[in-house]
Amino acid sequence: MKTLSLLAFSIAAPLAVCAVAPDTRFPSYDQVPMGIQVTVEPVFPASLLNAGVTRGHARVLVSVSHLGALVDSLVVAYTHEAFARAVTDVIERWRFSPMRVQGEATSSRTELMVNFEAKGAVVTMTVGDTLERLLDRPVEYVYQPCALRELDRIPTPLLADAPVYPREWRDAGVFGTTQVEFFIDETGVVRMPAVIAADHRDLGHLAVEAVRNWRFEAPTRHGRPVLVRVRQEFRFKGDS
């Protein structure tokens, strides 16, 4: 998939910017994914039943702390808006267990797919087009994130400070490139930043914390505010 740059950063010490996802220093069997217990099930919207709708889907991202607390949630796609409301009405009452890497609890971001059928709702964790493959047909969403190339113009940054790159990390040879994925919502607020690739795990954390505070003008498509998915690369390097 083609990606576009939102901001260009290549910062020498003592400043830098970053991004990452699973920590590639550890094999997958040393990583335990986040767990979820659906303590309150979403209710199939009666308004849709009355309209003859018997199934549908909503996708929601959840950010969970190293303590297993829900930090944030963001609906990123749905076939009917009522399904999104049904999920957001109950998700704060769900219980989570944190992701673990080599036995150590860590914060994480996971996408959940809620599959609604007239007999109830089924919650599954999904990646990319997993549901479409399971259903053997594309899902027609009426709401989903836009790509940068679909916008009227690239969102203007109102606040985009680079993270502080500790001098001791530079002196210790902690350099590299990282990539962060995040969403800009309809008001220009950054949501759900997460490291998707990084040469060093600590640099990824620095980048995520910086991106979390960024702000933009509201992204628009055909003049209307939209949700947009962004990937930003950061390069940490020493003095040349």
Side-chain angles (χ1 to χ4, degrees):
M1 182 178 69
K2 182 179 179 182
T3 59
L4 302 176
S5 290
L6 179 67
L7 299 170
F9 280 105
S10 180
I11 304 175
L15 295 179
V17 211
C18 83
V20 307
D23 194 331
T24 55
R25 296 177 302 169
F26 303 120
S28 59
Y29 56 78
D30 281 339
Q31 300 185 27
V32 179
M34 184 202 79
I36 174 176
Q37 179 184 1
V38 180
T39 55
V40 180
E41 292 187 0
V43 176
F44 197 105
S47 60
L48 294 182
L49 281 177
N50 294 335
V53 177
T54 60
R55 64 180 56 190
H57 316 284
R59 299 170 78 139
V60 57
L61 283 177
V62 294
S63 176
V64 175
S65 75
H66 68 287
L67 297 175
L70 179 65
V71 176
D72 194 10
S73 63
L74 177 67
V75 173
V76 294
Y78 52 74
T79 54
H80 294 82
E81 187 176 3
F83 289 137
R85 292 196 298 268
V87 175
T88 56
D89 284 346
V90 298
I91 197 168
E92 290 188 358
R93 288 179 279 176
W94 293 358
R95 297 176 182 173
F96 301 89
S97 58
M99 177 180 180
R100 292 184 177 275
V101 178
Q102 286 199 323
E104 180 181 351
T106 183
S107 58
S108 62
R109 189 192 75 178
T110 300
E111 182 176 332
L112 305 178
M113 171 68 71
V114 181
N115 176 29
F116 287 85
E117 296 186 5
K119 59 185 178 183
V122 178
V123 180
T124 58
M125 293 189 183
T126 186
V127 179
D129 62 347
T130 301
L131 179 70
E132 286 84 343
R133 292 200 301 271
L134 289 174
L135 297 177
D136 197 30
R137 67 178 185 273
V139 176
E140 296 183 2
Y141 294 108
V142 300
Y143 175 87
Q144 60 185 330
C146 293
L148 285 173
R149 63 179 177 273
E150 298 176 301
L151 302 182
D152 297 334
R153 60 187 177 86
I154 299 298
T156 301
L158 303 177
L159 175 65
D161 292 339
V164 175
Y165 183 21
R167 183 170 297 275
E168 57 268 27
W169 289 15
R170 180 203 61 187
D171 295 341
V174 181
F175 306 133
T177 299
T178 64
Q179 190 176 72
V180 172
E181 180 181 83
F182 58 96
F183 294 80
I184 305 174
D185 71 14
E186 289 87 343
T187 66
V189 174
V190 167
R191 305 287 302 278
M192 294 289 176
V195 175
I196 60 171
D199 293 330
H200 196 287
R201 186 181 185 187
D202 291 336
L203 297 180
H205 291 323
L206 279 185
V208 165
E209 290 308 308
V211 169
R212 199 182 305 279
N213 296 315
W214 288 4
R215 294 294 182 272
F216 296 84
E217 289 185 352
T220 60
R221 184 184 185 201
H222 304 316
R224 301 184 64 178
V226 293
L227 179 71
V228 60
R229 185 194 303 264
V230 177
R231 288 188 177 183
Q232 177 66 53
E233 182 177 278
F234 302 103
R235 297 176 183 175
F236 293 84
K237 60 183 182 179
D239 295 315
S240 55

